[in-house]
Amino acid sequence: MKWGMLLFLLLPILGHMYVFWRIWQILPLGGWYKAALISCLLMGLISLVVIFTAGLDRWPLPLARIIYEAGTSWLFILLYLFMLFALLDLGRLTHLVKPSFLQSSATGSLTVALLISAIFLYGNINYQHKVRRHITIDSEGKVKNPVKVVLLSDLHLGYHNTREDLQKWVRIVNNEQADAVLIAGDIIDISLRPLLEEDMAEVFRQIKAPVYACLGNHEYYAGTAGGQDFFKEANIQLLRDSHAVWGDLCIIGRDDRTNRSRQSIRKLTKNIDPQKFSILLDHQPYHLEQAEHANVDFQFSGHTHHGQVWPISWITEAIYEKAWGKHQRGKTHYYVTSGMGIWGGKFRIGTHSEYVVATIE
């Protein structure tokens, strides 16, 4: 455990050292100009440290947003700078890239700057576009008339996803004219404060369908007690190791695995009507076999973001049985969503932000 934590702390430090060293070498500028540029880049790192140590709630909201965006965006930019410089170094070692391209080179500097700018401009535009996924689930006669449900997860409302963003998403949801809306956790990002100051509960009340939700790990980061009051004000029925019956559906909300005392799926389904179509909301898609063994009809999860940016998507695919998309085990159907919102910098590279429209018939 100690070695794992040491590696976790060491890798970003080594990454910064490598990237800053490469930037220093490639820039065709004097030492003071290089130092000034690297000092500016260091503000991203300092912002990140502020987020995870001092927090943002003490800062004025506009400034807190700048700190959040600067720090979390820098994390992704650092990753891509590291990969780009590593690729160029590999090219230099294999004689595909001239050493002069990486030494006091205007051409090299401009190339790196343009590539990184293009990648993250695309990533932001791609994030703003929400993809509509439609799935059809056979209830095997449990649902008398077809039911249309909008499935959301990982809104991460807060310092970066604002009231304005939520209003856009609510319009998308209402345009579907769904019978119900189900949210699989992480409605709140890291703090409840921006949601309260911008009265986002009022925006949620504009949804023209009953809304059910379970908790995610980020609700615990933000404080579950205050979060529950917010959900009540927003007309969101929060299901914490409990269920609600709505028409032919039995909606089960499992508490997040952050709560080590949460109930098992088998216990949660013990007293539900087997004639109802059961939908399990479980934020983190671990141990999918548990829903199958408990005879759940459909499980909806989020959490993975499908990695958010490539190649982190490869890591999530290695960790989870299903990191994104439709899945089935026995008679149990699953959908793991990449999420409507996002954590950190607003970039989607190699993945998409999405909402799911499920027709249960």
Side-chain angles (χ1 to χ4, degrees):
M1 186 68 177
K2 291 181 179 179
W3 284 106
M5 182 59 69
L6 181 62
L7 185 63
F8 179 78
L9 295 172
L10 188 60
L11 286 176
I13 294 171
L14 293 175
H16 277 89
M17 291 173 63
Y18 172 69
V19 166
F20 287 155
W21 171 60
R22 268 298 173 208
I23 290 174
W24 186 278
Q25 288 190 319
I26 201 172
L27 287 173
L29 301 171
W32 285 106
Y33 291 103
K34 292 180 182 182
L37 178 58
I38 289 177
S39 295
C40 290
L41 295 178
L42 273 171
M43 294 304 296
L45 174 60
I46 293 168
S47 297
L48 200 59
V49 172
V50 169
I51 294 168
F52 288 107
T53 55
L56 297 175
D57 287 352
R58 67 182 65 187
W59 302 91
L61 189 57
L63 180 57
R65 284 194 173 132
I66 292 171
I67 295 171
Y68 185 100
E69 293 286 2
T72 57
S73 295
W74 169 245
L75 197 61
F76 296 111
I77 293 168
L78 174 71
L79 171 64
Y80 273 77
L81 280 171
F82 182 91
M83 291 193 298
L84 180 54
F85 280 127
L87 187 63
L88 289 171
D89 273 334
L90 180 62
R92 178 177 56 83
L93 292 172
T94 55
H95 306 292
L96 296 174
V97 176
K98 293 181 179 179
S100 59
F101 187 81
L102 294 168
Q103 295 286 339
S104 298
S105 170
T107 302
S109 298
L110 186 61
T111 301
V112 169
L114 288 176
L115 275 174
I116 291 297
S117 298
I119 288 169
F120 283 93
L121 177 61
Y122 155 76
N124 181 257
I125 293 171
N126 190 39
Y127 167 71
Q128 300 297 341
H129 173 66
K130 308 303 177 184
V131 176
R132 182 186 190 271
R133 310 285 186 192
H134 181 260
I135 59 174
T136 302
I137 306 171
D138 183 3
S139 72
E140 297 185 352
K142 292 184 177 182
V143 173
K144 299 179 182 64
N145 297 305
V147 178
K148 186 178 184 181
V149 179
V150 172
L151 304 168
L152 304 172
S153 186
D154 298 276
L155 277 65
H156 288 278
L157 298 168
Y159 288 110
H160 62 318
N161 289 317
T162 65
R163 177 187 172 98
E164 183 180 354
D165 293 307
L166 179 59
Q167 286 175 324
K168 293 177 184 176
W169 303 346
V170 167
R171 285 195 290 270
I172 290 172
V173 170
N174 285 337
N175 285 341
E176 291 293 339
Q177 299 181 325
D179 298 304
V181 177
L182 308 182
I183 308 177
D186 279 6
I187 293 173
I188 306 167
D189 187 48
I190 59 172
S191 173
L192 190 59
R193 174 217 178 183
L195 284 75
L196 298 177
E197 288 196 16
E198 292 196 309
D199 193 15
M200 294 195 202
E202 188 273 332
V203 182
F204 273 113
R205 293 196 296 271
Q206 296 172 20
I207 296 177
K208 299 175 182 178
V211 182
Y212 300 89
C214 70
L215 291 179
N217 54 306
H218 276 256
E219 272 79 33
Y220 276 92
Y221 303 157
T224 56
Q228 290 181 80
D229 293 337
F230 172 81
F231 291 136
K232 288 178 183 178
E233 187 181 353
N235 284 345
I236 297 173
Q237 184 167 342
L238 181 63
L239 302 173
R240 295 188 67 186
D241 283 349
S242 60
H243 70 271
V245 175
W246 185 83
D248 294 325
L249 308 181
C250 180
I251 304 162
I252 306 158
R254 193 181 190 195
D255 205 350
D256 186 68
R257 74 195 299 261
T258 306
N259 176 9
R260 299 300 180 184
S261 300
R262 69 174 180 167
Q263 294 183 16
S264 68
I265 297 176
R266 191 175 291 277
K267 188 172 183 179
L268 288 174
T269 58
K270 184 177 180 181
N271 296 317
I272 68 171
D273 184 353
Q275 300 304 312
K276 301 286 185 182
F277 184 84
S278 57
I279 299 176
L280 173 67
L281 302 178
D282 192 356
H283 179 64
Q284 302 189 46
Y286 288 98
H287 304 296
L288 299 184
E289 73 282 354
Q290 294 179 1
E292 177 193 7
H293 296 160
N295 298 314
V296 170
D297 294 309
F298 175 60
Q299 175 177 330
F300 180 62
S301 299
H303 182 66
T304 71
H305 296 206
H306 195 207
Q308 201 155 310
V309 299
W310 178 90
I312 301 176
S313 52
W314 287 355
I315 298 174
T316 60
E317 287 167 4
I319 292 173
Y320 300 96
E321 177 181 336
K322 189 67 177 179
W324 170 70
K326 293 191 294 184
H327 189 53
Q328 186 168 351
R329 292 180 61 101
K331 293 185 177 181
T332 302
H333 299 268
Y334 303 80
Y335 194 97
V336 180
T337 180
S338 57
M340 185 71 151
I342 212 164
W343 174 89
K346 292 182 174 181
F347 308 113
R348 285 276 189 181
I349 302 169
T351 67
H352 298 280
S353 286
E354 66 180 18
Y355 63 100
V356 183
V357 180
T359 302
I360 305 167
E361 55 188 25

